[in-house]
Amino acid sequence: MNYNVDEKGYYGDFGGAFIPEMLYPNVAELRKNYLKISAEPKFKKEFDNLLKVYVGRPTPLYFAKRLSERYNTKIYLKREDLCHTGAHKINNTIGQILLAKRLGKNRIIAETGAGQHGVATATVCALMGVECIVYMGALDIKRQAPNVARMKMLGAEVRPAKSGSKTLKDATNEAIRDWINNPVDTHYIIGSVVGPHPYPDMVARFQSVISEETKWQLKEQEGRDFPDHIIACVGGGSNAAGLYFHYLNDERVNIIAVEAAGKGIDSGKSAATSVLGKEGIIHGSKTLLMQTHDGQITEPYSISAGLDYPGIGPMHAHLYRSKRAEFISIPDQEAMDWGLTLSQMEGIIPAIETAHAFAVLEMRKFSPKEVIVFNCSGRGDKDLDTYIDYFKL
Amino acid sequence: MNRIARKFKEDKKLLSIYYSAGFPNLDDTVPILKKLEASGVDMVEIGLPFSDPLADGPTIQKSSTQALSNGMTTDKLFSQLENIREYIHIPLVLMGYFNPILQFGIEKFCQRCESIGIDGLIIPDLPVDVYHENYKELFDQHGLYNMFLITPQTSENRIRYIDKVSNGFIYMVSSSSVTGAKNTFGNNQTDYFQRVSAMKLSSPTVVGFGISNASTYSAATQHSNGAIIGSAFIKFIEEKGVERINDFIRSIRV
């Protein structure tokens, strides 16, 4: 089986471009150009150079010695938390801003939940001197004040999404409406492997630098360029897509995806889409999503705002249905405890999203010879308030 | 013959109204429909509310959210419309996003539409190529027309493709925007209406989005076969009440 996107924009049963006609010219323009432009030597050179001198790549592949000893296996952390702006998100925004420039767009819009993608977008817009508008749920604006301030400092305009549940999915709706209203000069930088084709594939390709580096870094440290297990958290799934990308069709590598169970799968407050979701359409893509019996999209919950999305990218829906990846969901409490464990055992304070992934170590037994790579997708600075409240620090 | 096709045989400019089912009150769907027919409206689009209507502006979003919190569902709408053909004779179109239709079951959805006497569907996020490949046969079997949108950005080739695949009429979105009332049309819009008119398409064209009063209605219908009013109508019934629908219709067709 092939786990990459097919020529029609599908991953098995999932994907496609279920978009209103108003978006067709924009999405078609991207579809016709994204592979061609990103393969141009000049583009690649500029992209690679910015990742190196601006983002700080390659990020280290760090052997976590104490963690490995405790679990009697070999644990590596791909340190995406060391990227400029504090997470993997900027790999994608660098790629998309370069693409937008080549398409002649001079106005950028984006959606953001916790604010990480908004900050990464505002950052590259400042770098390129391009107008930037970030849509953010009115509720999230209240919950994520420091990131709102960062975006403003970077020169972006933050527009509140006041419709529906006033969170990430509504911010995405508002960004799409903006794009409908501004079809000529605007590029929409989607932050995850979601949305209509070609977004899931395009974002996955820009994030694929994560597994590209992992391969040669592992080869250096372990003498082989593939691990036995790769583990990442999944909200929409962009950091996971980046870690999985070059291993998708390598059956020697076991893929584990970790979703947020929130207050528990059956609590009504969860974001475990693979368990609770059904096939449907969200934001232009056929995928698994959380919805009512009547097809209305429901509001997910997780203590980490970055996993708080009612769908998953179509690539992940396919990995789930085809059983290529194993999906595990982790409740708030375990994720928070792992935030503390990783801090105290390895001196790395992870984002709460990232912390979810590590809980797999308590759920699965790994042998001493096995090599595991975790995507350490983001750092915990943005979550300090939540950690302070939770642990009464 | 499908009521939509029959309607376009009449030598007149059509006035069509869109509203969200279950708004302002859950049981207003049918009373609104009766008043619209009585006031001489030619065709009605009944909106199936959706939690995430991404092609709609604030007015329709709000009415959609309100309808959902009133308890509107696909099942509920079908039961409200049961037996509607005993007293409603104008063409009826259901307009809704694809996800609720998928969850209802697309075949079952088409069956219910046929048995009620629905004439056509507008599903803004079901692209024409997906429809053509997967659903056209099913819709045809149930006598349902499927109408597609075009915008000022739609290429001539694509308009011709849509003209070939769809039936009923082509829904011309007046400008590059989400739904919402506007007071006037500019030269760009007039140029676009003329450009499409000059293409001599086989389907009739109906203009929608941004039509709110007699002057936008008349400008829109100058180069098309009719126009659809949504947001302005919804605002009107919200402010003035369902009872006064006739006043609104008379203010459009002066």
Side-chain angles (χ1 to χ4, degrees):
Chain A
M1 196 182 282
N2 187 334
Y3 298 97
N4 292 99
V5 76
D6 68 20
E7 71 283 355
K8 286 187 159 177
Y10 283 83
Y11 300 86
D13 300 331
F14 302 108
F18 293 83
I19 48 170
E21 188 62 30
M22 294 83 103
L23 285 178
Y24 181 84
N26 277 331
V27 172
E29 181 185 34
L30 269 184
R31 193 187 65 227
K32 283 174 195 145
N33 290 297
Y34 82 109
L35 289 175
K36 196 173 70 193
I37 292 177
S38 54
E40 283 168 9
K42 260 188 82 179
F43 180 96
K44 284 177 71 116
K45 203 174 152 200
E46 200 178 352
F47 180 58
D48 291 346
N49 186 53
L50 280 174
L51 289 184
K52 182 178 167 197
V53 301
Y54 188 70
V55 174
R57 304 203 72 93
T59 59
L61 183 69
Y62 163 69
F63 178 70
K65 189 163 168 289
R66 291 188 63 203
L67 216 51
S68 296
E69 276 167 10
R70 179 192 279 188
Y71 290 96
N72 196 21
T73 187
K74 290 190 207 169
I75 298 170
Y76 286 88
L77 271 50
K78 182 59 176 159
R79 297 291 310 275
E80 294 300 299
D81 58 316
L82 294 176
C83 289
H84 180 39
T85 71
H88 68 290
K89 290 287 185 192
I90 197 162
N91 302 326
N92 168 47
T93 60
I94 294 265
Q96 285 202 48
I97 194 89
L98 294 177
L99 189 71
K101 274 182 63 181
R102 276 159 177 80
L103 293 172
K105 311 287 179 175
N106 52 28
R107 182 174 175 273
I108 295 294
I109 55 171
E111 85 296 336
T112 197
Q116 287 306 103
H117 173 60
V119 168
T121 305
T123 299
V124 298
C125 288
L127 180 69
M128 298 292 169
V130 177
E131 182 186 0
C132 178
I133 292 147
V134 179
Y135 288 90
M136 188 169 184
L139 262 184
D140 290 333
I141 287 181
K142 279 193 190 159
R143 293 193 290 200
Q144 310 285 338
N147 271 344
V148 176
R150 289 167 83 193
M151 286 185 269
K152 287 182 177 167
M153 272 193 82
L154 292 160
E157 180 190 341
V158 180
R159 288 193 189 162
K162 295 174 183 163
S163 59
S165 47
K166 304 180 178 66
T167 58
L168 177 58
K169 81 178 172 74
D170 310 284
T172 309
N173 292 337
E174 285 304 326
I176 291 173
R177 288 177 189 127
D178 181 307
W179 211 19
I180 289 174
N181 290 330
N182 298 282
V184 180
D185 64 340
T186 299
H187 174 70
Y188 176 20
I189 300 190
I190 295 185
S192 192
V193 286
V194 301
H197 177 67
Y199 276 101
D201 185 50
M202 179 171 70
V203 176
R205 282 168 186 272
F206 289 140
Q207 292 294 358
S208 71
V209 64
I210 298 170
S211 44
E212 194 184 311
E213 288 172 5
T214 302
K215 285 184 86 166
W216 62 258
Q217 289 171 321
L218 261 186
K219 180 84 181 163
E220 271 181 13
Q221 297 182 61
E222 284 292 329
R224 57 169 157 123
D225 69 357
F226 66 97
D228 298 292
H229 307 274
I230 45 180
I231 305 177
C233 64
V234 173
S238 70
N239 91 78
L243 179 66
Y244 303 164
F245 195 87
H246 290 286
Y247 295 119
L248 283 173
N249 300 310
D250 185 343
E251 302 279 353
R252 296 170 299 185
V253 181
N254 179 42
I255 299 177
I256 301 177
V258 182
E259 292 183 302
K263 292 186 189 296
I265 296 288
D266 301 320
S267 67
K269 283 188 161 293
S270 177
T273 307
S274 68
V275 185
L276 299 168
K278 277 186 306 178
E279 190 172 321
I281 287 163
I282 181 169
H283 299 138
S285 179
K286 187 183 270 188
T287 186
L288 296 171
L289 64 130
M290 291 167 56
Q291 52 184 315
T292 65
H293 171 72
D294 200 41
Q296 309 298 338
I297 298 172
T298 53
E299 189 57 22
Y301 165 83
S302 162
I303 194 165
S304 67
L307 300 182
D308 209 348
Y309 183 69
I312 49 174
M315 174 210 271
H316 297 299
H318 181 50
L319 294 177
Y320 174 75
R321 181 165 286 178
S322 65
K323 299 195 162 65
R324 171 69 182 98
E326 180 184 358
F327 277 66
I328 290 174
S329 43
I330 297 296
D332 287 353
Q333 190 190 334
E334 282 175 46
M336 294 301 282
D337 289 345
W338 267 97
L340 209 56
T341 304
L342 197 68
S343 302
Q344 296 178 357
M345 287 193 68
E346 298 292 344
I348 295 168
I349 300 177
I352 302 171
E353 290 81 356
T354 308
H356 280 76
F358 290 92
V360 171
L361 289 170
E362 287 291 340
M363 300 180 69
R364 289 284 176 280
K365 191 92 184 97
F366 299 101
S367 77
K369 282 189 177 165
E370 284 185 305
V371 173
I372 306 165
V373 175
F374 282 95
N375 198 353
C376 191
S377 54
R379 61 175 174 248
D381 307 34
K382 69 177 179 66
D383 293 318
L384 265 190
D385 281 346
T386 312
Y387 281 133
I388 290 168
D389 278 355
Y390 191 88
F391 292 113
K392 310 283 175 248
L393 299 170
Chain B
M1 188 195 280
N2 186 301
R3 289 178 199 87
I4 298 172
R6 207 184 309 148
K7 183 52 91 175
F8 279 101
K9 293 216 180 299
E10 296 174 15
D11 186 24
K12 65 190 280 203
K13 303 289 186 186
L14 304 198
L15 172 59
S16 185
I17 294 291
Y18 167 93
Y19 68 98
S20 304
F23 176 85
N25 300 299
L26 182 61
D27 292 322
D28 283 337
T29 315
V30 172
I32 290 174
L33 194 52
K34 286 180 177 169
K35 287 208 178 304
L36 287 172
E37 176 159 305
S39 66
V41 161
D42 298 296
M43 179 165 67
V44 172
E45 279 93 42
I46 302 171
L48 192 59
F50 182 46
S51 55
D52 295 75
L54 43 78
D56 285 300
T59 306
I60 293 178
Q61 283 172 44
K62 223 178 97 190
S63 66
S64 192
T65 307
Q66 179 65 44
L68 289 174
S69 65
N70 290 345
M72 184 46 77
T73 64
T74 311
D75 251 329
K76 181 82 196 163
L77 176 60
F78 281 138
S79 65
Q80 287 178 343
L81 296 179
E82 204 80 56
N83 307 324
I84 198 89
R85 283 306 178 191
E86 289 170 13
Y87 43 89
I88 296 288
H89 309 287
I90 54 176
L92 294 179
V93 173
L94 290 191
M95 187 162 179
Y97 290 83
F98 197 32
N99 195 53
I101 297 173
L102 270 182
Q103 300 313 316
F104 191 84
I106 193 151
E107 190 152 5
K108 195 171 122 200
F109 190 90
C110 290
Q111 284 162 2
R112 288 300 298 271
C113 285
E114 185 184 16
S115 74
I116 285 167
I118 298 296
D119 304 289
L121 299 172
I122 300 174
I123 308 169
D125 57 346
L126 173 61
V128 60
D129 46 334
V130 179
Y131 166 73
H132 193 38
E133 209 168 295
N134 302 314
Y135 303 114
K136 186 171 167 46
E137 213 173 299
L138 180 69
F139 281 39
D140 287 347
Q141 274 168 25
H142 294 281
L144 291 167
Y145 281 4
N146 194 30
M147 276 69 70
F148 290 95
L149 278 53
I150 62 169
T151 81
Q153 257 68 43
T154 311
S155 69
E156 181 167 340
N157 275 345
R158 193 161 167 87
I159 295 177
R160 298 232 177 260
Y161 173 52
I162 288 171
D163 188 35
K164 206 180 79 186
V165 171
S166 62
N167 32 28
F169 59 88
I170 287 180
Y171 191 136
M172 281 172 72
V173 176
S174 65
S175 58
S176 302
S177 74
V178 294
T179 56
K182 288 183 187 65
N183 286 321
T184 53
F185 284 133
N187 290 339
N188 285 348
Q189 274 122 342
T190 317
D191 290 352
Y192 153 65
F193 299 154
Q194 282 173 346
R195 174 165 62 86
V196 175
S197 168
M199 286 177 69
K200 307 273 177 242
L201 301 173
S202 59
S203 316
T205 54
V206 176
V207 178
F209 288 37
I211 296 160
S212 64
N213 51 29
S215 82
T216 40
Y217 173 74
S218 118
T221 50
Q222 207 175 345
H223 304 284
S224 73
N225 305 86
I228 301 175
I229 302 181
S231 299
F233 176 74
I234 289 168
K235 260 188 204 148
F236 180 90
I237 55 172
E238 191 181 10
E239 285 163 14
K240 306 278 167 60
V242 172
E243 288 308 309
R244 293 184 55 192
I245 283 175
N246 196 38
D247 295 350
F248 180 83
I249 302 304
R250 282 171 52 191
S251 78
I252 303 295
R253 259 185 177 156
V254 284

Coordinates of all heavy atoms in Angstrom, one line a residue, chain B residues 4-37:
Chain B
I4 N -38.6 23.3 -11.8 CA -37.6 24.3 -12.0 C -37.6 24.6 -13.5 O -37.6 25.8 -14.0 CB -36.2 24.0 -11.5 CG1 -36.2 23.8 -10.0 CG2 -35.2 25.0 -11.9 CD1 -34.9 23.2 -9.4
A5 N -37.5 23.6 -14.3 CA -37.4 23.7 -15.8 C -38.7 24.4 -16.3 O -38.6 25.3 -17.1 CB -37.2 22.4 -16.4
R6 N -39.8 24.0 -15.7 CA -41.1 24.6 -16.1 C -41.1 26.1 -15.8 O -41.6 26.9 -16.6 CB -42.3 23.8 -15.4 CG -43.6 23.9 -16.2 CD -44.7 23.2 -15.4 NE -44.3 21.9 -15.0 CZ -44.8 21.4 -13.8 NH1 -45.6 22.1 -13.0 NH2 -44.5 20.1 -13.5
K7 N -40.6 26.4 -14.6 CA -40.6 27.8 -14.2 C -39.8 28.7 -15.2 O -40.2 29.8 -15.5 CB -40.1 27.9 -12.8 CG -40.1 29.3 -12.1 CD -41.5 29.9 -12.2 CE -42.3 29.7 -11.0 NZ -43.6 30.5 -11.0
F8 N -38.7 28.2 -15.6 CA -37.9 29.0 -16.5 C -38.5 29.1 -17.9 O -38.0 29.9 -18.7 CB -36.4 28.4 -16.6 CG -35.6 28.9 -15.4 CD1 -35.4 28.0 -14.3 CD2 -35.1 30.1 -15.3 CE1 -34.6 28.4 -13.2 CE2 -34.3 30.5 -14.2 CZ -34.1 29.7 -13.2
K9 N -39.5 28.4 -18.2 CA -40.2 28.5 -19.5 C -41.1 29.7 -19.5 O -41.4 30.2 -20.6 CB -41.0 27.2 -19.8 CG -40.1 26.0 -20.1 CD -40.7 25.2 -21.2 CE -39.8 23.9 -21.5 NZ -38.5 24.3 -22.0
E10 N -41.5 30.2 -18.3 CA -42.3 31.4 -18.2 C -41.4 32.6 -18.6 O -40.3 32.6 -18.3 CB -42.8 31.6 -16.8 CG -43.7 30.5 -16.3 CD -44.1 30.7 -14.8 OE1 -43.8 31.8 -14.3 OE2 -44.6 29.7 -14.2
D11 N -42.0 33.5 -19.3 CA -41.2 34.6 -19.9 C -41.2 35.7 -18.8 O -41.9 36.7 -18.9 CB -41.9 35.1 -21.2 CG -41.0 36.1 -21.8 OD1 -39.8 36.1 -21.6 OD2 -41.6 37.0 -22.6
K12 N -40.3 35.5 -17.8 CA -40.2 36.6 -16.8 C -38.9 36.4 -16.0 O -38.2 35.4 -16.1 CB -41.4 36.5 -15.8 CG -41.3 35.1 -15.0 CD -42.6 34.9 -14.2 CE -42.7 35.7 -12.9 NZ -43.6 35.1 -11.9
K13 N -38.5 37.5 -15.3 CA -37.4 37.4 -14.5 C -37.8 36.8 -13.1 O -38.7 37.3 -12.5 CB -36.8 38.8 -14.2 CG -36.4 39.6 -15.5 CD -35.2 39.0 -16.2 CE -34.8 39.8 -17.4 NZ -33.7 39.2 -18.1
L14 N -37.1 35.8 -12.7 CA -37.5 35.1 -11.5 C -37.0 35.8 -10.2 O -35.9 36.4 -10.2 CB -37.0 33.7 -11.4 CG -37.3 32.7 -12.5 CD1 -37.0 31.3 -12.1 CD2 -38.7 32.9 -13.0
L15 N -37.9 35.8 -9.2 CA -37.4 36.2 -7.9 C -37.5 35.0 -7.0 O -38.5 34.3 -6.8 CB -38.4 37.3 -7.3 CG -38.1 37.6 -5.8 CD1 -36.7 38.2 -5.6 CD2 -39.1 38.7 -5.3
S16 N -36.3 34.7 -6.4 CA -36.2 33.5 -5.6 C -35.7 33.9 -4.2 O -34.9 34.9 -4.1 CB -35.2 32.5 -6.2 OG -35.1 31.4 -5.4
I17 N -36.2 33.3 -3.2 CA -35.8 33.7 -1.8 C -35.2 32.5 -1.1 O -35.6 31.3 -1.2 CB -37.1 34.1 -1.0 CG1 -37.7 35.3 -1.6 CG2 -36.8 34.2 0.5 CD1 -36.9 36.6 -1.3
Y18 N -34.1 32.8 -0.3 CA -33.4 31.8 0.5 C -33.7 32.1 1.9 O -33.6 33.3 2.4 CB -31.9 31.8 0.3 CG -31.1 31.1 1.3 CD1 -30.8 29.7 1.1 CD2 -30.8 31.7 2.5 CE1 -30.1 29.0 2.1 CE2 -30.1 30.9 3.5 CZ -29.8 29.6 3.3 OH -29.1 28.9 4.3
Y19 N -34.0 31.1 2.7 CA -34.0 31.3 4.2 C -33.5 30.0 4.9 O -33.6 29.0 4.3 CB -35.4 31.8 4.7 CG -36.5 30.7 4.5 CD1 -36.8 29.9 5.6 CD2 -37.1 30.5 3.3 CE1 -37.8 29.0 5.5 CE2 -38.1 29.5 3.2 CZ -38.5 28.8 4.3 OH -39.4 27.8 4.2
S20 N -33.1 30.2 6.1 CA -32.7 29.0 6.9 C -33.8 28.4 7.6 O -34.6 29.0 8.3 CB -31.7 29.5 8.0 OG -30.6 30.2 7.5
A21 N -34.0 27.1 7.4 CA -35.1 26.3 8.0 C -34.9 26.4 9.5 O -33.8 26.2 10.0 CB -35.0 24.9 7.5
G22 N -36.1 26.6 10.2 CA -36.0 26.6 11.6 C -35.7 27.9 12.2 O -35.4 28.0 13.4
F23 N -35.7 29.0 11.4 CA -35.4 30.3 11.9 C -36.5 31.3 11.5 O -37.0 31.2 10.4 CB -34.1 30.8 11.3 CG -33.7 32.2 11.7 CD1 -33.1 32.5 12.8 CD2 -34.1 33.3 10.8 CE1 -32.8 33.8 13.2 CE2 -33.8 34.6 11.2 CZ -33.1 34.9 12.3
P24 N -36.9 32.2 12.3 CA -36.5 32.5 13.6 C -36.9 31.5 14.7 O -36.3 31.3 15.7 CB -37.2 33.9 14.0 CG -37.9 34.3 12.8 CD -37.9 33.2 11.7
N25 N -38.1 30.8 14.4 CA -38.5 29.8 15.3 C -38.5 28.4 14.6 O -38.7 28.4 13.4 CB -39.9 30.1 15.9 CG -40.0 31.4 16.6 OD1 -39.3 31.5 17.6 ND2 -40.7 32.3 16.1
L26 N -38.4 27.4 15.4 CA -38.3 26.0 14.8 C -39.4 25.7 13.8 O -39.2 25.2 12.7 CB -38.3 25.0 15.9 CG -38.1 23.5 15.5 CD1 -36.8 23.3 14.7 CD2 -38.2 22.6 16.7
D27 N -40.6 26.1 14.1 CA -41.8 25.8 13.3 C -42.2 26.8 12.3 O -43.2 26.8 11.7 CB -43.0 25.4 14.2 CG -42.7 24.1 15.0 OD1 -42.1 23.2 14.4 OD2 -43.1 24.1 16.2
D28 N -41.3 27.8 12.0 CA -41.6 28.8 11.0 C -41.3 28.4 9.6 O -41.7 29.1 8.6 CB -40.7 30.1 11.3 CG -41.2 30.9 12.4 OD1 -42.4 30.8 12.7 OD2 -40.4 31.7 13.1
T29 N -40.7 27.2 9.4 CA -40.3 26.8 8.0 C -41.5 26.8 7.1 O -41.4 27.4 6.0 CB -39.7 25.4 8.1 OG1 -38.8 25.3 9.2 CG2 -39.0 25.0 6.8
V30 N -42.6 26.2 7.4 CA -43.7 26.0 6.5 C -44.5 27.4 6.4 O -44.8 27.8 5.3 CB -44.6 24.8 6.9 CG1 -45.8 24.8 6.0 CG2 -43.8 23.5 6.6
P31 N -44.8 28.0 7.5 CA -45.5 29.3 7.4 C -44.8 30.3 6.5 O -45.4 31.0 5.7 CB -45.5 29.8 8.9 CG -45.5 28.6 9.7 CD -44.7 27.6 9.0
I32 N -43.4 30.4 6.6 CA -42.7 31.3 5.7 C -42.9 30.9 4.3 O -43.1 31.7 3.4 CB -41.2 31.3 6.1 CG1 -41.0 31.9 7.5 CG2 -40.3 31.9 5.0 CD1 -39.5 31.8 8.0
L33 N -42.8 29.6 4.0 CA -43.0 29.1 2.7 C -44.3 29.5 2.1 O -44.4 29.9 0.9 CB -42.8 27.6 2.7 CG -42.6 26.8 1.4 CD1 -41.4 27.4 0.6 CD2 -42.3 25.3 1.7
K34 N -45.4 29.3 2.9 CA -46.7 29.6 2.4 C -46.8 31.1 2.1 O -47.4 31.5 1.0 CB -47.8 29.3 3.5 CG -48.0 27.8 3.6 CD -49.1 27.6 4.7 CE -49.4 26.1 4.9 NZ -50.2 25.9 6.1
K35 N -46.3 32.0 2.9 CA -46.3 33.4 2.7 C -45.5 33.8 1.4 O -45.9 34.7 0.7 CB -45.8 34.2 3.9 CG -46.7 34.2 5.1 CD -46.5 35.4 5.9 CE -47.5 35.4 7.1 NZ -48.9 35.3 6.7
L36 N -44.4 33.1 1.2 CA -43.6 33.4 0.1 C -44.4 33.1 -1.2 O -44.4 33.9 -2.2 CB -42.3 32.7 0.1 CG -41.3 33.2 1.1 CD1 -40.1 32.3 1.2 CD2 -40.8 34.6 0.8
E37 N -45.0 31.9 -1.2 CA -45.8 31.6 -2.4 C -46.9 32.5 -2.6 O -47.2 33.0 -3.8 CB -46.3 30.1 -2.4 CG -47.1 29.8 -3.6 CD -47.3 28.3 -3.9 OE1 -46.2 27.6 -4.1 OE2 -48.4 27.8 -4.0

